[in-house]
């Protein structure tokens, strides 16, 4: 079996695009191989700042004869559809196609036999198609060429079985095509001249000699180990940052870390500011002391080796960092001269959304909604000072007008807490200003302090109800206002704090404030759609805990359930129940009873109306149906009180008692006794009563399996 090696050497590719591009290129080539009927053992993609590489192992030297079959339009379809089918299949006329009856009508089929041959003959076409088909977030043209790519391409290695494939990439204009070859280049600064390779192993080995670590995972491991060692040698610890590690690994081909020092004049600036400034602008790693406090040292990862131990690099980066931190310190000093409360008028000048008003209007809505939420669930918020809730909600966006947040938007909330503490505001208020943005993702911590929880809920629910009111809801993958994240945040805030809150009432409170505003009179939110949105998010969230999505559907389908804590308790009990033998058997019996009633209702249009009311005990004849009726009476008497006290396990245990009499009923009793219509109707009522009793706990028709 032969190997395919492809390398695309270019100018520096942005770090954030490398991994995705490498995988996309791999997929394009792999799809091309499969479409040509070629099997292979393995395909590995690699990316460095200057190159994408692909190694495919185990490709046969010859490709077999293949037969492609393509289904066309229905026989008798319009001529346009027929011609499109013929063109797509490469046929001259319908005489070359086959007519087949699929059971759903007659359709045209094209059967195309492709002759096999040397694999090397078809590989250039596959590689070129993959290069041209690679999609970039941004691309460019260079010289007089018309070909667009992320950065100018320098060379292409395309080798199969140790030999260069024939072929070249046309760039258009007056540009000379880039011919396939067997040569590349090593590190931009630490290597000189072209490198000739013979296969992938030789390629990776020679690149390493030329100061290029091809595998991004290895570069990350090397960077992490070296940076951690530098920190440890200084008696410090690396502040872990996977995102920064990924980015730096995409900036260097031969990592060379060096440790610098932060000027002591800046160490009174909050640690978050120093870390953000170093990270966002300079890609420096921060170090912490053994006690967790930020140390005055940082680590830069250079892409070259030095003859002075990195002295010049360190000095240059310390100089650049001083300039950056001077700006940060200026903002820090200036911002603290203005109280948060005095910043509120400036929020009226910041438009949040053209239809939802300014940040100033939003803050007023959040404060009002926060107070309403406290009133709706006084038990959870017992002991909370309403004045603190209002103060936290009112000041939660005030730091948006500060110079520091203007420079570093990711510090919103964080700076507000610092400024609030500086003003001597109550600690719960300070924390709520910072924490009301949380949780911002599945791995982010969820606030637990009552004031933080209520302000965070008000902030997120105001957004959700507002955008639902103006009909700007997420579609497909598009969610520009992060509404999915807001809903997931609400779910976590409620469930992780065991906060019993009726969402519908909160939506009412939020909507009333939107409708009172000038720009909020666009319309009311589609409440059912919004609750469905929450149900979908809830399914996503609980899936990781092994909760089945159909069980969430079964409980949501009951309607009127907007207390997520109670809903999850019911779902949990339901999952435990349907996992037992009693649960499985009851589900089978339920489906059987429901299907019989449903089938008869389809036959007789007025049957549903005639089934109103419970089965008449006086009309019961068979011992088995009397047993079912008796068991149902007992179960009902137990289920309703259990549901009232939210003991869902007890409710389902009561239903489980129906299993044995139902089994006997279906074994011995004929429901559709045509010669006795009253008896038939009564037995159908009995089955409908069974269905209704079970559906009182959850809509069992939604349960799969």
């Amino acid at each position: 079996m032969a190997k395919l090696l492809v390398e695309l050497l270019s100018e520096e590719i942005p770090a954030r695009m490398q991994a995705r591009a490498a995988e996309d290129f791999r997929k394009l080539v792999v799809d091309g191989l499969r479409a040509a009927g070629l099997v292979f053992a393995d395909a590995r993609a690699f990316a460095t700042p200057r190159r994408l590489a692909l190694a495919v192992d185990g490709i046969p030297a010859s490709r077999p004869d293949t037969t492609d079959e393509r289904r066309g339009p229905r026989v008798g379809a319009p001529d346009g559809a027929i011609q499109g089918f013929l063109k797509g299949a490469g046929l001259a006329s319908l005489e070359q196609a086959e007519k087949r009856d699929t059971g759903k009508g007659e359709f045209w089929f094209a059967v195309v036999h492709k002759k096999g041959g040397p694999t090397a003959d078809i590989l250039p076409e596959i590689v070129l198609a993959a290069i041209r088909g690679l999609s970039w977030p941004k691309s460019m043209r260079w010289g007089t060429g018309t070909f667009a790519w992320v950065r100018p391409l320098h060379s292409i290695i395309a080798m199969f079985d140790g030999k260069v494939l024939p072929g070249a990439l046309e760039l258009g204009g007056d540009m000379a095509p880039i011919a396939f070859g067997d040569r590349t280049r090593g590190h931009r600064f630490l290597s000189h001249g072209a490198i000739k390779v013979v296969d992938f192993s030789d390629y990776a080995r020679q690149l390493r000699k030329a100061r290029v670590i091809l595998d991004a995972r290895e570069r990350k491991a090397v960077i992490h180990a070296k940076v951690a060692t530098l920190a440890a040698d200084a008696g410090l610890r690396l502040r872990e940052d996977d995102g920064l590690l990924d980015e730096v690994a995409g900036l260097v081909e031969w990592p060379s870390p060096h440790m610098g020092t932060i000027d002591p004049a800046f160490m009174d600036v909050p640690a978050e500011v120093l870390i953000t400034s170093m990270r966002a602008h300079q890609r420096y790693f921060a170090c912490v002391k053994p006690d967790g406090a930020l140390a005055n040292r940082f680590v830069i990862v250079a892409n070259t080796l030095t003859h002075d131990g990195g002295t010049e690099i360190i000095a240059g980066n310390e100089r650049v960092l001083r300039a950056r931190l001077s700006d940060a310190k200026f903002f820090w000093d200036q911002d603290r001269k203005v109280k948060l409360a005095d910043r509120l008028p400036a929020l009226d000048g910041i438009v949040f959304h053209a239809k939802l008003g300014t940040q100033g209007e939003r803050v007023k809505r959040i404060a009002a909604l926060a107070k309403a939420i406290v009133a709706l669930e006084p038990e959870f918020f017992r002991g909370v000072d309403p004045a603190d809730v209002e103060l936290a909600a009112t000041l939660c966006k005030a730091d948006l007008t500060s110079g520091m947040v203007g420079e570093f938007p990711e510090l919103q909330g964080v700076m507000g807490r610092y400024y609030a503490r500086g003003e001597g505001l109550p600690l719960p208020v300070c924390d709520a200003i910072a924490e009301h943005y949380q949780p911002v993702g599945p791995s982010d911590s969820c606030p637990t302090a009552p004031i933080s929880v209520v302000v965070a809920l008000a902030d997120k629910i105001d957004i959700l109800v507002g955008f639902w009111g103006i009909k700007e809801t997420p579609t497909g993958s598009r969610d520009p206002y992060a509404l999915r994240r807001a809903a997931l945040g609400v779910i976590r805030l409620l469930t992780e704090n065991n906060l019993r809150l009726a969402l519908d009432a909160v939506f009412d409170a939020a909507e009333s404030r939107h409708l009172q505003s000038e720009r909020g009179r666009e319309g009311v939110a589609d409440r059912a759609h919004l609750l469905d949105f929450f149900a979908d998010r809830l399914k996503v969230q609980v899936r990781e805990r092994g909760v089945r999505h159909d069980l969430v559907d079964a409980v949501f389908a009951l309607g009127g359930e907007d207390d997520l804590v109670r809903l999850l308790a019911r779902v949990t009990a339901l999952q435990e129940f349907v996992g037992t033998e009693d649960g499985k058997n009851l589900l089978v019996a339920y489906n059987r009873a429901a299907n019989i009633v449903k089938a008869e209702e389809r036959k007789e249009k007025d049957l549903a109306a005639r089934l109103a009311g419970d089965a008449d005990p006086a009309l019961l004849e068979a011992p088995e149906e009397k047993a079912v009726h008796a068991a149902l009476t007992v179960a009902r008497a137990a289920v309703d009180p259990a549901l009232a006290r939210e003991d869902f396990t007890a409710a389902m245990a009561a239903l489980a008692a129906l299993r044995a009499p139902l089994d006997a009923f279906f074994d011995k009793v004929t429901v559709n006794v045509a010669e006795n219509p009253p008896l038939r109707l009564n037995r159908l009522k009995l089955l409908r009563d069974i269905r209704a009793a079970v559906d009182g706990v959850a809509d069992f028709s939604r349960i799969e399996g």
Side-chain angles (χ1 to χ4, degrees):
M1 292 293 183
K3 299 180 180 180
L4 171 67
L5 169 63
V6 181
E7 185 211 56
L8 310 175
L9 182 70
S10 70
E11 295 292 329
E12 270 73 4
I13 303 169
R16 69 182 185 282
M17 301 181 189
Q18 292 167 17
R20 173 69 181 272
E23 178 55 29
D24 286 352
F25 186 63
R26 188 194 74 85
K27 186 174 186 309
L28 286 166
V29 172
V30 162
D31 288 349
L33 293 174
R34 288 174 177 151
L38 291 168
V39 294
F40 53 89
D42 185 38
R44 292 166 290 159
F46 305 90
T48 80
R50 297 180 65 206
R51 66 199 84 219
L52 300 182
L54 176 67
V56 186
D57 299 335
I59 303 176
S62 316
R63 62 186 193 283
D65 295 346
T66 60
T67 300
D68 288 342
E69 190 170 284
R70 180 178 300 185
R71 175 171 151 166
R74 185 185 294 273
V75 174
D79 187 59
I82 297 293
Q83 294 306 318
F85 162 64
L86 293 174
K87 184 178 179 182
L91 303 182
S93 70
L94 283 177
E95 293 179 358
Q96 296 175 304
E98 294 180 13
K99 189 189 301 182
R100 295 183 195 168
D101 189 345
T102 65
K104 296 182 180 179
E106 283 191 317
F107 289 83
W108 291 108
F109 281 79
V111 181
V112 180
H113 302 284
K114 294 183 179 178
K115 191 70 178 171
T119 299
D121 290 352
I122 199 167
L123 288 178
E125 179 186 333
I126 294 173
V127 172
L128 286 171
I131 297 172
R132 296 190 189 104
L134 196 55
S135 176
W136 297 94
K138 290 182 178 178
S139 57
M140 59 181 291
R141 296 183 177 84
W142 59 97
T144 60
T146 56
F147 176 73
W149 224 60
V150 62
R151 293 290 185 272
L153 266 172
H154 287 179
S155 65
I156 300 173
I157 289 179
M159 301 181 67
F160 179 64
D161 199 16
K163 298 175 184 174
V164 176
L165 290 168
L169 178 68
E170 296 290 342
L171 300 179
D174 299 330
M175 304 284 287
I178 301 176
F180 290 173
D182 57 2
R183 286 172 169 76
T184 185
R185 288 184 174 272
H187 191 282
R188 184 185 287 278
F189 310 119
L190 305 176
S191 172
H192 302 285
I195 301 168
K196 182 179 179 181
V197 302
V198 296
D199 58 22
F200 176 73
S201 297
D202 180 53
Y203 168 74
R205 185 171 55 251
Q206 293 211 60
L207 280 184
R208 188 177 294 274
K209 287 174 62 179
R211 309 285 191 182
V212 174
I213 299 175
L214 181 62
D215 192 332
R217 291 172 299 181
E218 183 183 352
R219 291 200 302 278
K220 283 176 60 178
V222 168
I223 293 169
H224 186 273
K226 288 186 175 181
V227 173
T229 299
L230 270 179
D233 290 346
L236 305 173
R237 181 163 48 83
L238 168 68
R239 182 181 177 275
E240 299 292 340
D241 190 334
D242 287 342
L244 181 59
L245 189 59
D246 283 338
E247 186 169 6
V248 172
L251 296 173
V252 297
E253 290 192 318
W254 194 256
S256 175
H258 303 279
M259 176 169 279
T261 303
I262 302 172
D263 191 320
F266 303 113
M267 292 307 294
D268 64 336
V269 177
E272 292 91 337
V273 176
L274 299 178
I275 293 169
T276 302
S277 183
M278 291 192 294
R279 185 186 194 283
H281 294 303
Q282 305 304 126
R283 312 296 187 264
Y284 296 164
F285 290 92
C287 296
V288 295
K289 300 175 185 175
D291 63 1
L294 182 69
N296 66 334
R297 310 299 291 274
F298 66 89
V299 179
I300 176 177
V301 180
N303 186 33
T304 188
L305 298 176
T306 62
H307 300 294
D308 60 358
T311 302
E312 286 190 21
I313 289 178
I314 294 170
N317 281 280
E318 287 178 340
R319 188 165 55 248
V320 172
L321 184 60
R322 272 196 295 275
R324 293 287 187 189
L325 295 185
S326 293
D327 293 341
K329 185 173 175 52
F330 172 79
F331 291 134
W332 170 242
D333 292 337
Q334 294 301 310
D335 287 345
R336 287 180 294 163
K337 295 177 181 177
V338 182
K339 287 189 172 182
L340 287 175
D342 294 336
R343 294 185 176 279
L344 293 179
L347 292 177
D348 293 332
I350 303 175
V351 175
F352 171 68
H353 187 282
K355 295 181 179 177
L356 297 178
T358 64
Q359 288 287 4
E361 290 172 294
R362 208 164 102 70
V363 161
K364 294 183 182 71
R365 291 199 303 266
I366 291 172
L369 182 56
K371 287 194 292 185
I373 292 173
V374 170
L376 284 168
E377 187 50 40
E379 183 63 26
F380 181 85
F381 297 106
R382 186 172 50 187
V384 170
D385 187 341
D388 284 349
V389 172
E390 182 165 11
L391 182 60
T394 302
L395 298 180
C396 68
K397 304 293 181 187
D399 66 352
L400 294 180
T401 66
S402 67
M404 189 72 82
V405 174
E407 181 71 10
F408 301 111
E410 57 267 52
L411 291 178
Q412 59 186 350
V414 174
M415 298 315 300
R417 171 158 53 188
Y418 275 110
Y419 301 145
R421 282 180 179 174
E423 295 176 23
L425 299 183
L427 192 58
V429 173
C430 303
D431 290 341
I433 290 172
E435 294 174 350
H436 85 279
Y437 289 105
Q438 294 177 291
V440 294
S443 59
D444 192 25
S445 60
C446 183
T448 56
I451 296 181
S452 299
V453 170
V454 71
V455 179
L457 282 171
D459 177 44
K460 294 167 178 59
I461 291 175
D462 173 76
I463 289 177
L464 289 162
V465 172
F467 279 102
W468 250 256
I470 61 174
K471 310 294 185 289
E472 291 195 26
T473 56
T475 54
S477 61
R478 190 171 176 275
D479 185 15
Y481 302 106
L483 301 183
R484 292 189 177 96
R485 190 173 71 189
L488 283 169
V490 171
I491 290 169
R492 285 191 60 191
L493 285 163
L494 294 177
T495 58
E496 293 185 21
N497 288 293
N498 201 33
L499 174 52
R500 306 293 302 271
L501 202 60
L503 278 178
D504 222 31
V506 183
F507 294 160
D508 281 341
E511 191 161 66
S512 68
R513 272 110 191 138
H514 275 283
L515 295 176
Q516 290 167 16
S517 66
E518 281 298 318
R519 297 183 181 85
R521 297 189 181 120
E522 294 288 327
V524 297
D526 181 341
R527 201 65 61 81
H529 184 221
L530 182 53
L531 277 176
D532 286 345
F533 184 74
F534 268 90
D536 289 342
R537 305 281 77 72
L538 185 64
K539 282 186 275 188
V540 170
Q541 194 200 42
V542 299
R543 186 185 303 151
E544 295 177 359
R545 289 155 43 191
V547 178
R548 289 165 47 179
H549 67 90
D550 58 321
L551 302 185
V552 178
D553 279 339
V555 176
F556 253 107
L558 293 175
E561 181 56 277
D562 60 351
D563 178 345
L564 298 185
V565 174
R566 185 171 57 208
L567 184 145
L568 277 182
R570 190 181 289 233
V571 170
T572 301
L574 182 59
Q575 176 138 336
E576 291 174 359
F577 178 63
V578 297
T580 64
E581 283 304 309
D582 280 346
K584 292 173 184 173
N585 291 334
L586 181 64
L587 180 60
V588 171
Y590 166 88
N591 285 331
R592 194 169 176 183
N595 289 338
I596 290 173
V597 175
K598 198 183 302 178
E600 296 307 308
E601 285 177 337
R602 277 199 297 266
K603 294 176 187 173
E604 299 177 40
K605 290 184 178 178
D606 64 337
L607 182 61
R610 291 196 288 132
L611 287 177
D614 291 343
D616 184 353
L619 295 177
L620 302 174
E621 290 185 356
E624 290 79 9
E625 62 181 326
K626 292 178 181 176
V628 167
H629 185 269
L632 178 60
T633 303
V634 172
R636 277 173 163 173
V639 166
D640 291 344
L643 290 178
R645 64 176 185 271
E646 300 183 6
D647 188 348
F648 304 112
T649 301
M652 291 176 200
L655 290 174
L658 293 172
R659 172 199 158 189
L662 271 173
D663 287 346
F665 177 89
F666 286 122
D667 285 344
K668 302 289 185 180
V669 178
T670 300
V671 175
N672 288 310
V673 278
E675 68 281 6
N676 191 343
L679 182 61
R680 168 180 174 264
L681 185 65
N682 202 54
R683 285 176 176 173
L684 286 173
K685 281 186 175 185
L686 186 60
L687 295 183
R688 193 222 46 195
D689 290 344
I690 295 289
R691 184 179 68 181
V694 176
D695 282 346
V697 176
D699 185 348
F700 270 51
S701 67
R702 304 290 186 105
I703 299 175
E704 298 172 358

